[in-house]
Coordinates of all heavy atoms in Angstrom, one line a residue:
F822 N -63.9 -44.8 11.0 CA -62.9 -45.6 10.4 C -61.6 -44.9 10.3 O -61.5 -43.8 9.7 CB -63.3 -46.1 9.0 CG -62.3 -46.8 8.2 CD1 -61.7 -48.0 8.7 CD2 -61.9 -46.3 7.0 CE1 -60.8 -48.7 8.0 CE2 -60.9 -47.0 6.3 CZ -60.4 -48.2 6.7
Q823 N -60.6 -45.4 11.0 CA -59.3 -44.7 11.1 C -58.3 -45.5 10.3 O -58.1 -46.7 10.6 CB -58.8 -44.5 12.5 CG -57.5 -43.8 12.6 CD -57.1 -43.6 14.1 OE1 -57.6 -44.3 15.0 NE2 -56.1 -42.8 14.3
M824 N -57.6 -44.9 9.4 CA -56.6 -45.6 8.6 C -55.3 -45.6 9.3 O -54.8 -44.6 9.8 CB -56.5 -45.0 7.2 CG -55.8 -45.8 6.2 SD -56.0 -44.9 4.6 CE -56.4 -46.2 3.6
I825 N -54.6 -46.7 9.4 CA -53.3 -46.8 10.0 C -52.2 -46.9 8.9 O -52.3 -47.7 8.0 CB -53.2 -48.1 10.9 CG1 -54.3 -48.0 12.0 CG2 -51.8 -48.2 11.5 CD1 -54.4 -49.3 12.8
K826 N -51.3 -45.9 9.0 CA -50.2 -45.9 8.0 C -49.1 -46.9 8.4 O -48.6 -46.8 9.6 CB -49.7 -44.5 7.9 CG -48.6 -44.3 6.9 CD -48.1 -42.9 6.7 CE -47.0 -42.8 5.7 NZ -46.5 -41.5 5.6
Q827 N -48.7 -47.8 7.5 CA -47.7 -48.7 7.8 C -46.4 -48.3 7.0 O -46.6 -47.8 5.9 CB -48.1 -50.1 7.4 CG -49.1 -50.8 8.3 CD -49.4 -52.2 7.8 OE1 -49.6 -52.5 6.7 NE2 -49.3 -53.1 8.8
G828 N -45.3 -48.6 7.5 CA -44.0 -48.4 6.8 C -43.8 -49.6 5.9 O -44.4 -50.6 6.0
V829 N -42.8 -49.4 5.0 CA -42.5 -50.5 4.1 C -42.1 -51.8 4.9 O -42.4 -52.9 4.5 CB -41.4 -50.1 3.1 CG1 -40.9 -51.2 2.3 CG2 -41.9 -48.9 2.2
R830 N -41.3 -51.6 6.0 CA -40.9 -52.8 6.7 C -42.1 -53.6 7.2 O -42.1 -54.8 7.1 CB -40.0 -52.3 7.9 CG -39.5 -53.5 8.7 CD -39.0 -53.0 10.1 NE -38.3 -54.1 10.8 CZ -38.9 -55.1 11.4 NH1 -40.2 -55.2 11.4 NH2 -38.1 -56.0 12.1
E831 N -43.1 -52.9 7.8 CA -44.2 -53.6 8.3 C -45.0 -54.2 7.2 O -45.5 -55.4 7.4 CB -45.1 -52.6 9.1 CG -44.5 -52.1 10.4 CD -43.5 -51.0 10.3 OE1 -43.5 -50.3 9.2 OE2 -42.7 -50.8 11.2
I832 N -45.2 -53.5 6.1 CA -45.9 -54.1 5.0 C -45.2 -55.4 4.5 O -45.8 -56.4 4.3 CB -46.1 -53.1 3.8 CG1 -47.0 -52.0 4.3 CG2 -46.6 -53.8 2.6 CD1 -47.0 -50.8 3.3
F833 N -43.8 -55.3 4.3 CA -43.1 -56.5 3.9 C -43.2 -57.6 4.8 O -43.4 -58.8 4.5 CB -41.6 -56.1 3.6 CG -40.8 -57.3 3.2 CD1 -40.8 -57.7 1.9 CD2 -40.0 -58.0 4.1 CE1 -40.0 -58.8 1.5 CE2 -39.2 -59.0 3.8 CZ -39.3 -59.5 2.4
D834 N -43.1 -57.3 6.1 CA -43.2 -58.4 7.1 C -44.6 -59.0 7.1 O -44.7 -60.3 7.2 CB -43.0 -57.8 8.5 CG -42.5 -58.8 9.5 OD1 -41.8 -59.8 9.1 OD2 -42.8 -58.7 10.7
N835 N -45.6 -58.2 6.8 CA -47.0 -58.8 6.7 C -47.2 -59.7 5.5 O -47.7 -60.8 5.6 CB -48.0 -57.7 6.7 CG -48.2 -57.0 8.1 OD1 -47.9 -57.6 9.1 ND2 -48.7 -55.8 8.0
I836 N -46.7 -59.3 4.4 CA -46.9 -60.1 3.2 C -45.9 -61.2 3.0 O -46.1 -62.1 2.2 CB -46.9 -59.2 1.9 CG1 -45.5 -58.5 1.7 CG2 -48.0 -58.2 1.9 CD1 -45.4 -57.8 0.3
S837 N -44.8 -61.2 3.8 CA -43.8 -62.3 3.7 C -44.0 -63.3 4.8 O -43.0 -64.0 5.2 CB -42.4 -61.7 3.7 OG -42.2 -61.1 5.0
L838 N -45.2 -63.4 5.4 CA -45.4 -64.4 6.5 C -44.5 -64.1 7.7 O -44.0 -65.0 8.3 CB -45.3 -65.8 6.0 CG -46.2 -66.2 4.8 CD1 -45.9 -67.6 4.3 CD2 -47.7 -66.1 5.2
S839 N -44.2 -62.8 7.9 CA -43.5 -62.4 9.1 C -42.0 -62.8 9.1 O -41.5 -63.1 10.1 CB -44.2 -62.8 10.4 OG -45.5 -62.3 10.5
V840 N -41.4 -62.9 7.9 CA -40.0 -63.4 7.8 C -39.1 -62.5 8.6 O -38.2 -63.0 9.3 CB -39.6 -63.5 6.4 CG1 -39.4 -62.2 5.7 CG2 -38.3 -64.4 6.3
I841 N -39.3 -61.2 8.7 CA -38.4 -60.3 9.4 C -38.5 -60.7 10.9 O -37.5 -60.8 11.6 CB -38.7 -58.9 9.2 CG1 -38.4 -58.5 7.7 CG2 -37.8 -58.0 10.0 CD1 -38.9 -57.1 7.3
S842 N -39.7 -60.8 11.4 CA -39.9 -61.1 12.8 C -39.3 -62.4 13.2 O -38.7 -62.6 14.2 CB -41.4 -61.0 13.2 OG -41.9 -59.8 13.0
F843 N -39.5 -63.4 12.3 CA -39.0 -64.7 12.5 C -37.4 -64.7 12.6 O -36.9 -65.3 13.5 CB -39.4 -65.7 11.3 CG -38.7 -67.0 11.4 CD1 -39.1 -68.0 12.2 CD2 -37.5 -67.3 10.7 CE1 -38.5 -69.3 12.3 CE2 -36.9 -68.5 10.7 CZ -37.4 -69.5 11.5
L844 N -36.8 -64.0 11.7 CA -35.3 -63.9 11.7 C -34.9 -63.2 13.0 O -33.9 -63.6 13.6 CB -34.8 -63.1 10.5 CG -35.0 -63.9 9.2 CD1 -34.7 -62.9 8.0 CD2 -34.1 -65.1 9.1
E845 N -35.5 -62.1 13.4 CA -35.1 -61.4 14.5 C -35.2 -62.2 15.8 O -34.5 -61.9 16.8 CB -35.9 -60.1 14.7 CG -35.6 -59.1 13.6 CD -36.5 -57.8 13.6 OE1 -37.7 -57.9 14.1 OE2 -36.0 -56.8 13.2
N846 N -36.2 -63.1 15.9 CA -36.4 -63.9 17.1 C -35.8 -65.3 17.0 O -36.0 -66.1 18.0 CB -37.9 -64.0 17.3 CG -38.5 -62.6 17.6 OD1 -38.1 -62.0 18.6 ND2 -39.4 -62.2 16.8
H847 N -35.1 -65.6 16.0 CA -34.5 -67.0 15.9 C -33.2 -67.0 16.6 O -32.3 -66.1 16.5 CB -34.3 -67.3 14.4 CG -33.9 -68.7 14.2 ND1 -32.7 -69.3 14.4 CD2 -34.7 -69.8 13.7 CE1 -32.7 -70.6 14.1 NE2 -33.9 -70.9 13.7
I848 N -32.9 -68.0 17.4 CA -31.7 -68.1 18.3 C -30.4 -68.1 17.5 O -29.4 -67.6 18.0 CB -31.9 -69.3 19.2 CG1 -30.8 -69.2 20.3 CG2 -31.7 -70.6 18.5 CD1 -31.1 -70.1 21.5
G849 N -30.4 -68.7 16.3 CA -29.1 -68.8 15.6 C -28.9 -67.7 14.6 O -27.9 -67.7 13.8
I850 N -29.7 -66.7 14.7 CA -29.6 -65.5 13.7 C -29.4 -64.2 14.4 O -29.9 -64.0 15.5 CB -30.9 -65.4 12.8 CG1 -31.0 -66.7 12.0 CG2 -30.9 -64.2 12.0 CD1 -32.2 -66.8 11.2
S851 N -28.5 -63.4 13.9 CA -28.2 -62.1 14.5 C -28.1 -61.0 13.4 O -28.0 -61.3 12.2 CB -26.9 -62.2 15.3 OG -25.8 -62.4 14.5
D852 N -28.0 -59.8 13.9 CA -27.8 -58.6 13.0 C -28.7 -58.6 11.8 O -28.3 -58.4 10.7 CB -26.3 -58.6 12.6 CG -25.4 -58.5 13.7 OD1 -25.6 -57.8 14.7 OD2 -24.3 -59.2 13.7
V853 N -30.0 -58.7 12.1 CA -31.0 -58.6 11.0 C -31.1 -57.1 10.6 O -31.3 -56.3 11.4 CB -32.4 -59.1 11.4 CG1 -33.4 -58.9 10.3 CG2 -32.3 -60.6 11.8
E854 N -30.9 -56.9 9.3 CA -30.8 -55.5 8.8 C -31.8 -55.3 7.6 O -31.7 -56.0 6.6 CB -29.4 -55.1 8.4 CG -29.2 -53.7 7.9 CD -27.8 -53.5 7.5 OE1 -27.2 -54.3 6.8 OE2 -27.3 -52.4 7.8
F855 N -32.8 -54.5 7.8 CA -33.7 -54.2 6.7 C -33.5 -52.8 6.2 O -33.5 -51.8 7.0 CB -35.2 -54.2 7.3 CG -36.2 -53.9 6.3 CD1 -36.7 -54.9 5.5 CD2 -36.7 -52.7 6.1 CE1 -37.7 -54.7 4.5 CE2 -37.7 -52.4 5.2 CZ -38.2 -53.4 4.4
I856 N -33.2 -52.7 4.9 CA -32.8 -51.4 4.3 C -33.8 -51.1 3.2 O -34.0 -51.9 2.3 CB -31.4 -51.4 3.8 CG1 -30.4 -51.7 4.8 CG2 -31.1 -50.0 3.1 CD1 -29.0 -52.0 4.3
E857 N -34.6 -50.0 3.4 CA -35.5 -49.6 2.4 C -34.9 -48.7 1.4 O -34.2 -47.7 1.8 CB -36.7 -48.9 3.0 CG -37.7 -48.4 2.1 CD -38.8 -47.6 2.8 OE1 -38.9 -47.6 4.0 OE2 -39.6 -46.9 2.0
R858 N -35.0 -48.9 0.1 CA -34.4 -48.0 -0.9 C -35.5 -47.0 -1.2 O -36.6 -47.3 -1.5 CB -34.0 -48.8 -2.1 CG -32.9 -49.7 -1.8 CD -32.3 -50.4 -3.0 NE -31.3 -51.3 -2.7 CZ -31.4 -52.6 -3.0 NH1 -32.4 -53.1 -3.6 NH2 -30.4 -53.4 -2.6
Q859 N -35.1 -45.7 -1.2 CA -36.0 -44.6 -1.5 C -36.5 -44.7 -3.0 O -35.8 -45.3 -3.8 CB -35.3 -43.3 -1.3 CG -35.0 -43.0 0.2 CD -36.3 -43.0 1.0 OE1 -37.3 -42.4 0.7 NE2 -36.2 -43.7 2.2
G860 N -37.6 -44.1 -3.3 CA -38.1 -44.1 -4.6 C -37.2 -43.4 -5.6 O -36.3 -42.6 -5.2
V861 N -37.3 -43.7 -6.9 CA -36.5 -43.0 -7.9 C -37.3 -41.9 -8.5 O -38.5 -41.8 -8.5 CB -36.1 -44.0 -9.0 CG1 -35.2 -45.1 -8.4 CG2 -37.2 -44.6 -9.7
A862 N -36.6 -40.9 -9.1 CA -37.2 -39.8 -9.7 C -37.7 -40.2 -11.1 O -37.2 -41.1 -11.7 CB -36.1 -38.7 -9.9
E863 N -38.8 -39.5 -11.5 CA -39.4 -39.8 -12.8 C -38.4 -39.7 -14.0 O -38.4 -40.5 -14.9 CB -40.5 -38.9 -13.1 CG -41.3 -39.2 -14.3 CD -42.6 -38.4 -14.5 OE1 -42.9 -37.6 -13.6 OE2 -43.2 -38.5 -15.5
V864 N -37.4 -38.8 -13.9 CA -36.4 -38.6 -14.9 C -35.5 -39.9 -15.0 O -35.1 -40.3 -16.1 CB -35.5 -37.4 -14.7 CG1 -34.7 -37.5 -13.4 CG2 -34.7 -37.1 -15.9
T865 N -35.3 -40.6 -13.9 CA -34.5 -41.8 -13.9 C -35.3 -42.9 -14.7 O -34.7 -43.7 -15.4 CB -34.2 -42.3 -12.5 OG1 -33.6 -41.2 -11.8 CG2 -33.4 -43.5 -12.4
I866 N -36.6 -43.0 -14.5 CA -37.4 -44.0 -15.2 C -37.4 -43.7 -16.7 O -37.3 -44.6 -17.5 CB -38.8 -44.0 -14.6 CG1 -38.8 -44.5 -13.1 CG2 -39.7 -44.9 -15.4 CD1 -40.1 -44.3 -12.4
T867 N -37.6 -42.4 -17.0 CA -37.6 -42.0 -18.4 C -36.3 -42.3 -19.1 O -36.2 -42.8 -20.2 CB -37.9 -40.5 -18.5 OG1 -39.1 -40.2 -17.9 CG2 -37.9 -40.0 -20.0
K868 N -35.2 -42.1 -18.4 CA -33.8 -42.4 -18.9 C -33.7 -43.9 -19.2 O -33.2 -44.3 -20.2 CB -32.8 -41.9 -18.0 CG -31.4 -42.2 -18.5 CD -30.3 -41.6 -17.5 CE -28.9 -42.0 -18.0 NZ -27.9 -41.7 -17.1
W869 N -34.2 -44.7 -18.2 CA -34.1 -46.2 -18.4 C -34.9 -46.6 -19.6 O -34.5 -47.4 -20.4 CB -34.7 -46.9 -17.2 CG -34.6 -48.4 -17.3 CD1 -33.5 -49.1 -16.8 CD2 -35.5 -49.3 -17.9 NE1 -33.8 -50.5 -17.1 CE2 -34.9 -50.6 -17.8 CE3 -36.7 -49.1 -18.6 CZ2 -35.6 -51.7 -18.3 CZ3 -37.3 -50.2 -19.1 CH2 -36.8 -51.5 -19.0
E870 N -36.1 -46.0 -19.8 CA -36.9 -46.4 -21.0 C -36.3 -45.9 -22.3 O -36.3 -46.7 -23.3 CB -38.3 -45.7 -20.8 CG -39.2 -46.4 -19.8 CD -40.6 -45.9 -19.7 OE1 -40.8 -44.6 -19.9 OE2 -41.5 -46.7 -19.4
E871 N -35.6 -44.8 -22.3 CA -34.9 -44.3 -23.5 C -33.8 -45.2 -23.8 O -33.5 -45.6 -25.0 CB -34.4 -42.9 -23.3 CG -35.5 -41.9 -23.3 CD -35.1 -40.5 -22.8 OE1 -33.9 -40.3 -22.5 OE2 -35.9 -39.6 -22.9
E872 N -33.0 -45.7 -22.8 CA -31.9 -46.6 -23.0 C -32.3 -48.0 -23.4 O -31.5 -48.8 -23.9 CB -31.0 -46.6 -21.7 CG -30.3 -45.3 -21.5 CD -29.6 -45.3 -20.1 OE1 -29.7 -46.2 -19.3 OE2 -28.9 -44.3 -19.9
N873 N -33.6 -48.4 -23.1 CA -34.0 -49.7 -23.3 C -35.2 -49.8 -24.3 O -36.0 -50.7 -24.3 CB -34.4 -50.4 -22.0 CG -33.3 -50.6 -21.1 OD1 -32.5 -51.6 -21.2 ND2 -33.0 -49.7 -20.2
T874 N -35.2 -48.8 -25.2 CA -36.2 -48.8 -26.3 C -36.2 -50.1 -27.0 O -35.1 -50.6 -27.3 CB -36.0 -47.6 -27.2 OG1 -36.0 -46.4 -26.4 CG2 -37.0 -47.5 -28.3
P875 N -37.3 -50.7 -27.4 CA -38.6 -50.2 -27.4 C -39.4 -50.6 -26.1 O -40.6 -50.4 -26.0 CB -39.3 -50.9 -28.6 CG -38.6 -52.3 -28.5 CD -37.2 -52.0 -28.1
F876 N -38.7 -51.0 -25.1 CA -39.4 -51.5 -23.9 C -39.9 -50.3 -23.0 O -39.1 -49.3 -22.8 CB -38.5 -52.4 -23.0 CG -38.0 -53.6 -23.8 CD1 -36.7 -53.7 -24.3 CD2 -38.9 -54.6 -24.1 CE1 -36.3 -54.8 -25.0 CE2 -38.5 -55.7 -24.8 CZ -37.2 -55.8 -25.3
K877 N -41.1 -50.4 -22.5 CA -41.7 -49.4 -21.6 C -42.2 -50.1 -20.3 O -42.7 -51.2 -20.4 CB -42.9 -48.7 -22.3 CG -42.5 -47.9 -23.5 CD -41.9 -46.6 -23.1 CE -41.6 -45.7 -24.3 NZ -40.9 -44.6 -24.0
L878 N -42.0 -49.4 -19.2 CA -42.5 -50.0 -18.0 C -44.0 -49.7 -17.8 O -44.4 -48.6 -18.2 CB -41.7 -49.4 -16.8 CG -40.2 -49.7 -16.7 CD1 -39.5 -48.9 -15.6 CD2 -40.0 -51.1 -16.6
P879 N -44.7 -50.6 -17.3 CA -46.2 -50.3 -17.0 C -46.3 -49.1 -16.1 O -45.5 -48.9 -15.2 CB -46.7 -51.6 -16.4 CG -45.7 -52.6 -16.7 CD -44.4 -51.9 -16.8
D880 N -47.4 -48.3 -16.2 CA -47.6 -47.1 -15.4 C -47.7 -47.5 -13.9 O -47.1 -46.7 -13.1 CB -48.9 -46.4 -15.8 CG -48.7 -45.7 -17.2 OD1 -47.6 -45.5 -17.6 OD2 -49.7 -45.5 -17.8
D881 N -48.3 -48.6 -13.6 CA -48.4 -48.9 -12.1 C -47.0 -49.3 -11.5 O -46.7 -48.9 -10.4 CB -49.4 -50.1 -11.9 CG -49.1 -51.3 -12.6 OD1 -48.3 -51.3 -13.6 OD2 -49.7 -52.4 -12.3
F882 N -46.2 -49.9 -12.3 CA -44.8 -50.2 -11.9 C -44.0 -48.9 -11.7 O -43.2 -48.8 -10.8 CB -44.1 -51.2 -12.8 CG -42.8 -51.7 -12.2 CD1 -42.7 -52.3 -11.0 CD2 -41.6 -51.5 -13.0 CE1 -41.5 -52.8 -10.5 CE2 -40.4 -51.9 -12.5 CZ -40.3 -52.6 -11.2
K883 N -44.2 -48.0 -12.7 CA -43.5 -46.7 -12.6 C -43.9 -46.0 -11.3 O -43.1 -45.4 -10.6 CB -43.8 -45.8 -13.8 CG -43.1 -46.3 -15.0 CD -43.3 -45.2 -16.1 CE -43.9 -45.8 -17.4 NZ -44.0 -44.8 -18.4
A884 N -45.2 -46.0 -11.0 CA -45.7 -45.4 -9.8 C -45.1 -46.0 -8.5 O -44.7 -45.3 -7.6 CB -47.2 -45.4 -9.7
F885 N -45.0 -47.4 -8.6 CA -44.4 -48.1 -7.4 C -42.9 -47.7 -7.3 O -42.5 -47.4 -6.1 CB -44.5 -49.6 -7.6 CG -43.7 -50.4 -6.6 CD1 -44.3 -50.6 -5.4 CD2 -42.5 -50.9 -6.9 CE1 -43.6 -51.3 -4.4 CE2 -41.8 -51.7 -6.0 CZ -42.3 -51.8 -4.7
L886 N -42.2 -47.6 -8.4 CA -40.7 -47.3 -8.3 C -40.5 -45.9 -7.7 O -39.5 -45.6 -7.1 CB -40.1 -47.4 -9.7 CG -39.9 -48.8 -10.2 CD1 -39.4 -48.7 -11.6 CD2 -38.9 -49.6 -9.3
Q887 N -41.5 -45.0 -7.9 CA -41.4 -43.6 -7.4 C -41.6 -43.6 -5.9 O -41.2 -42.7 -5.2 CB -42.3 -42.7 -8.1 CG -41.8 -42.5 -9.6 CD -42.8 -41.6 -10.3 OE1 -44.0 -41.7 -10.2 NE2 -42.2 -40.7 -11.2
I888 N -42.2 -44.6 -5.4 CA -42.4 -44.8 -3.9 C -41.3 -45.5 -3.3 O -40.7 -45.1 -2.2 CB -43.8 -45.5 -3.6 CG1 -44.9 -44.7 -4.1 CG2 -43.9 -45.8 -2.1 CD1 -46.2 -45.4 -4.1
S889 N -40.9 -46.6 -3.9 CA -39.8 -47.5 -3.3 C -39.1 -48.2 -4.4 O -39.7 -48.7 -5.4 CB -40.4 -48.5 -2.4 OG -39.5 -49.4 -1.9
D890 N -37.7 -48.2 -4.3 CA -36.9 -48.9 -5.3 C -36.4 -50.2 -4.7 O -35.3 -50.6 -4.9 CB -35.7 -48.0 -5.7 CG -35.0 -48.5 -6.9 OD1 -35.5 -49.3 -7.7 OD2 -33.8 -48.1 -7.1
G891 N -37.3 -50.8 -4.0 CA -36.9 -52.1 -3.4 C -36.4 -52.1 -2.0 O -36.5 -51.1 -1.3
L892 N -35.8 -53.2 -1.6 CA -35.3 -53.3 -0.2 C -34.2 -54.3 -0.2 O -34.0 -55.0 -1.1 CB -36.4 -53.7 0.7 CG -37.2 -55.0 0.3 CD1 -36.6 -56.2 1.0 CD2 -38.6 -54.9 0.7
S893 N -33.5 -54.3 0.9 CA -32.4 -55.2 1.2 C -32.6 -55.8 2.5 O -32.9 -55.1 3.5 CB -31.1 -54.5 1.1 OG -30.0 -55.4 1.4
L894 N -32.6 -57.1 2.7 CA -32.7 -57.8 3.9 C -31.5 -58.7 4.1 O -31.3 -59.6 3.4 CB -34.0 -58.6 4.0 CG -34.4 -59.4 5.2 CD1 -34.5 -58.4 6.4 CD2 -35.6 -60.2 5.1
N895 N -30.7 -58.4 5.2 CA -29.5 -59.1 5.4 C -29.5 -59.6 6.9 O -30.1 -59.0 7.7 CB -28.3 -58.2 5.2 CG -28.2 -57.6 3.9 OD1 -28.2 -58.3 2.9 ND2 -28.4 -56.3 3.8
W896 N -28.8 -60.7 7.1 CA -28.7 -61.3 8.5 C -27.5 -62.2 8.5 O -26.9 -62.5 7.5 CB -30.0 -62.0 8.9 CG -30.3 -63.2 8.1 CD1 -29.9 -64.5 8.3 CD2 -31.0 -63.3 6.9 NE1 -30.4 -65.4 7.3 CE2 -31.1 -64.6 6.5 CE3 -31.7 -62.3 6.1 CZ2 -31.7 -65.0 5.3 CZ3 -32.4 -62.7 5.0 CH2 -32.4 -64.1 4.6
K897 N -27.1 -62.5 9.7 CA -26.0 -63.4 10.0 C -26.5 -64.6 10.7 O -27.4 -64.6 11.5 CB -24.9 -62.7 10.8 CG -24.3 -61.5 10.1 CD -23.3 -60.9 11.0 CE -22.7 -59.6 10.2 NZ -21.8 -58.8 11.1
I898 N -25.8 -65.8 10.4 CA -26.1 -67.0 11.2 C -24.8 -67.4 11.9 O -23.7 -67.2 11.4 CB -26.7 -68.1 10.3 CG1 -25.7 -68.6 9.3 CG2 -28.0 -67.7 9.7 CD1 -26.1 -69.9 8.6
K899 N -25.0 -68.1 13.0 CA -23.9 -68.6 13.7 C -24.0 -70.2 13.7 O -25.1 -70.7 14.1 CB -23.9 -68.1 15.2 CG -22.7 -68.6 16.0 CD -22.7 -68.0 17.4 CE -21.5 -68.5 18.1 NZ -21.4 -67.9 19.5
K900 N -22.9 -70.8 13.3 CA -22.9 -72.3 13.3 C -21.5 -72.7 13.7 O -20.5 -72.3 13.1 CB -23.3 -72.8 11.9 CG -23.4 -74.3 11.9 CD -23.9 -74.8 10.6 CE -23.9 -76.3 10.7 NZ -24.7 -77.0 9.9
N901 N -21.4 -73.6 14.7 CA -20.1 -74.1 15.1 C -19.1 -73.0 15.4 O -18.0 -73.0 14.9 CB -19.6 -75.1 14.1 CG -20.5 -76.3 13.9 OD1 -21.2 -76.7 14.7 ND2 -20.4 -76.8 12.7
D902 N -19.6 -72.0 16.1 CA -18.8 -70.8 16.5 C -18.2 -70.0 15.3 O -17.3 -69.3 15.5 CB -17.6 -71.3 17.4 CG -18.1 -71.9 18.7 OD1 -19.1 -71.3 19.3 OD2 -17.4 -72.8 19.2
M903 N -18.9 -70.2 14.2 CA -18.5 -69.4 13.0 C -19.7 -68.6 12.6 O -20.9 -69.0 12.8 CB -18.1 -70.2 11.8 CG -16.8 -71.0 12.1 SD -16.3 -72.0 10.7 CE -15.8 -70.8 9.5
V904 N -19.5 -67.3 12.1 CA -20.6 -66.4 11.7 C -20.5 -66.3 10.2 O -19.5 -66.0 9.6 CB -20.4 -65.1 12.4 CG1 -21.5 -64.1 12.0 CG2 -20.5 -65.2 13.9
F905 N -21.7 -66.4 9.6 CA -21.8 -66.3 8.1 C -22.8 -65.2 7.8 O -23.9 -65.2 8.4 CB -22.3 -67.6 7.5 CG -21.4 -68.8 7.8 CD1 -21.6 -69.6 8.9 CD2 -20.3 -69.0 7.0 CE1 -20.8 -70.7 9.2 CE2 -19.5 -70.1 7.2 CZ -19.7 -71.0 8.3
N906 N -22.5 -64.4 6.8 CA -23.5 -63.4 6.3 C -24.4 -64.0 5.3 O -24.0 -64.7 4.5 CB -22.7 -62.2 5.6 CG -21.9 -61.4 6.5 OD1 -22.3 -61.1 7.7 ND2 -20.7 -61.0 6.1
L907 N -25.7 -63.7 5.5 CA -26.7 -64.2 4.6 C -27.7 -63.1 4.2 O -27.6 -62.0 4.9 CB -27.5 -65.4 5.2 CG -26.7 -66.7 5.4 CD1 -27.6 -67.7 6.0 CD2 -26.3 -67.2 4.0
G908 N -28.5 -63.4 3.3 CA -29.6 -62.4 3.0 C -29.1 -61.4 2.0 O -28.0 -61.3 1.5

């Protein structure tokens, strides 16, 4: 059994019903940009919790934030010879 390592982009595309692939292959859409935000340091999470006392983040969410601090997905659409930023 060989484990295949996937990047955040591939994982997001898989769990989002291939929205990135759909956008990239849609005729009216251009400039699809996927930006992965790097994880945050533990000290940043601790600082957030101190500033937002008495609220504490669950341990599993803290672990997730140390891996990835989210993502940004942007694209442009063309309609009637005009281009609009979306995403």
Side-chain angles (χ1 to χ4, degrees):
F822 170 60
Q823 182 180 15
M824 195 174 225
I825 300 173
K826 184 178 178 184
Q827 289 184 309
V829 172
R830 182 196 189 283
E831 290 81 15
I832 294 169
F833 178 78
D834 204 33
N835 287 338
I836 65 172
S837 67
L838 302 175
S839 301
V840 71
I841 298 171
S842 299
F843 172 82
L844 291 170
E845 289 174 334
N846 293 302
H847 193 283
I848 193 166
I850 296 176
S851 66
D852 300 321
V853 177
E854 181 181 44
F855 179 87
I856 301 168
E857 176 186 352
R858 296 188 184 118
Q859 295 299 316
V861 297
E863 188 173 351
V864 67
T865 303
I866 295 169
T867 301
K868 182 179 177 187
W869 184 92
E870 289 183 325
E871 288 170 356
E872 292 173 353
N873 293 280
T874 300
F876 302 106
K877 296 282 185 189
L878 298 172
D880 289 338
D881 59 344
F882 187 59
K883 288 188 233 183
F885 173 79
L886 288 174
Q887 291 177 321
I888 296 168
S889 175
D890 190 21
L892 56 93
S893 176
L894 181 60
N895 304 298
W896 63 91
K897 295 178 183 175
I898 62 167
K899 183 176 180 181
K900 183 172 178 160
N901 299 331
D902 295 324
M903 295 181 69
V904 177
F905 302 94
N906 292 322
L907 290 177

